[in-house]
Each structure stands twice: as structure tokens, then as C-alpha cells.
Amino acid sequence: MTTTTINPAKNEWPQLLQRPVLDTTALEASVGAILADVKAGGDAAVKKYAAQFDGATLTDLRVSPAEMQAAEALVSEELKTAIATARQNITAFHAAQREPKQVVETMPGVQCWRQSIAIQKVGLYIPGGTAPLFSTLLMLAIPAQLAGCKQIVVCTPCQADGQVNPVILYVAQLLGITNVFKVGGVQAIAAMAYG
């Protein structure tokens, strides 16, 4: 039940603003066990958790080129147009953030510089459950590409039939991302961290 408080006394503010405290001990233990299992068991552990959490029996974790191509036909032209507009806007915004190497001579003969250097490999987690967030893929992958990241890996959960939401695959293909895996949850983060 929600209550509304109007114009509380200043001495009531700390209590009203206090956030609930959750005991995450059990959650941390569960997550830790999954991380350790994926680190030790690799793909077999990831497949086990896909079956447990997503109800999917997977033989291959990677989305195939055929699946990527088939996805395009399942996305409406109206949505493709909206995605193209979003891509253009996101690209324009992040391209403006590029900075050339900046050299500062702090004293005669002493030069210091600031230079942005891309991370070589990035892993992007794209939620894909009841509300597939393909916009997250646009907002993460485009800046990574503009920064010069050489390898982009995407993990997104699949449905029980082993299929990934076609809009996510369409956006990945549009952006030229071919390393897409049908993996969600903690096991996806562990797989990207441990390889």
C-alpha cells in the first residue's frame, strides 16, 4: 500500500527517504555458484543453465548466419525505419564525443597527453525476455564501434524454442555484429568474462 505525504516536517525527511535494505546473501551465493560453475564447466555449464532458466535445450550457443538472415524478414518495415533513425541519431551523438590526442606542455620540454584508446574486445548483454531491448544493442554497440573496438560479442537470452528475438538479430546484423550468443542471465555474464 502506498501512502502520500505532503509537506512533511524536516525532521521526518531522513525516515521518508530511507531506502529498504535487502539481504542479498542468498542471491550472492547463487550467483557465485553459477559464476564458478561456468568458469569450470564452460559451454556445458552455460547450456545447463539455459535449460534450467530458459527451458531451452541448445546444441549450439552461437546464433547461426541463417538465423541472422531469417530475422530480417520478421521485422516490419515501420520498425526498420525507426531503427534506422535511432541508429543515425545515436551515431551522430557519439561521433561528436570523439577527441583527438591532446598534448599539453606542462613546462618547457615536458609533454603530457591524453589519448582515448579503444578496448579491443567488449561483451554486450542485451535483455531479451518479455521486452527485448534492441535499443540497448544500438546504444552499446554504436559507441563501441565508433571507439574502435575490434571485437564485439553479444549475449541475449533465447526463448524456450532456442530462438532469439528477431529484432535483436536484425539490429546485430545491421550493425555488422556476427558474434551473437543465445545466452542470458548470470551465465551469459560469466561466459563473456571467462571466455
Side-chain angles (χ1 to χ4, degrees):
M1 182 160 109
T2 304
T3 59
T4 303
T5 303
I6 300 174
N7 297 324
K10 191 171 183 175
N11 65 346
E12 295 178 45
W13 292 2
Q15 182 181 357
L16 291 170
L17 296 174
Q18 190 173 16
R19 292 185 176 262
V21 177
L22 299 174
D23 180 9
T24 59
T25 307
L27 180 62
E28 289 171 16
S30 296
V31 168
I34 294 170
L35 292 173
D37 195 14
V38 171
K39 185 175 184 180
D43 287 355
V46 172
K47 289 175 184 177
K48 175 180 79 175
Y49 291 114
Q52 181 180 338
F53 297 126
D54 300 324
T57 303
L58 301 175
T59 55
D60 193 359
L61 297 173
R62 185 185 296 261
V63 173
S64 71
E67 289 172 296
M68 295 284 280
Q69 287 181 335
E72 185 173 358
L74 301 173
V75 179
S76 72
E77 291 304 317
E78 181 180 45
L79 185 53
K80 287 178 185 176
T81 301
I83 289 168
T85 300
R87 179 185 187 189
Q88 180 181 353
N89 292 340
I90 293 165
T91 301
F93 178 79
H94 288 287
Q97 296 177 26
R98 288 181 173 161
E99 292 183 0
K101 180 177 178 180
Q102 295 181 7
V103 179
V104 176
E105 188 168 7
T106 57
M107 58 190 302
V110 178
Q111 293 186 337
C112 301
W113 65 89
R114 180 176 69 207
Q115 181 177 4
S116 299
I117 299 173
I119 297 170
Q120 293 299 305
K121 185 187 294 188
V122 295
L124 310 179
Y125 183 83
I126 310 303
T130 56
L133 297 180
F134 62 89
S135 58
T136 301
L137 181 53
L138 288 164
M139 291 186 286
L140 295 178
I142 291 171
Q145 290 173 328
L146 289 170
C149 296
K150 301 293 183 212
Q151 185 178 6
I152 299 174
V153 174
V154 171
C155 285
T156 188
C158 65
Q159 301 161 8
D161 63 2
Q163 298 299 306
V164 171
N165 185 283
V167 181
I168 291 174
L169 297 183
Y170 171 75
V171 170
Q173 185 176 24
L174 181 69
L175 297 175
I177 299 170
T178 57
N179 290 319
V180 181
F181 294 87
K182 308 173 183 188
V183 182
V186 173
Q187 62 273 23
I189 303 303
M192 288 190 285
Y194 302 128

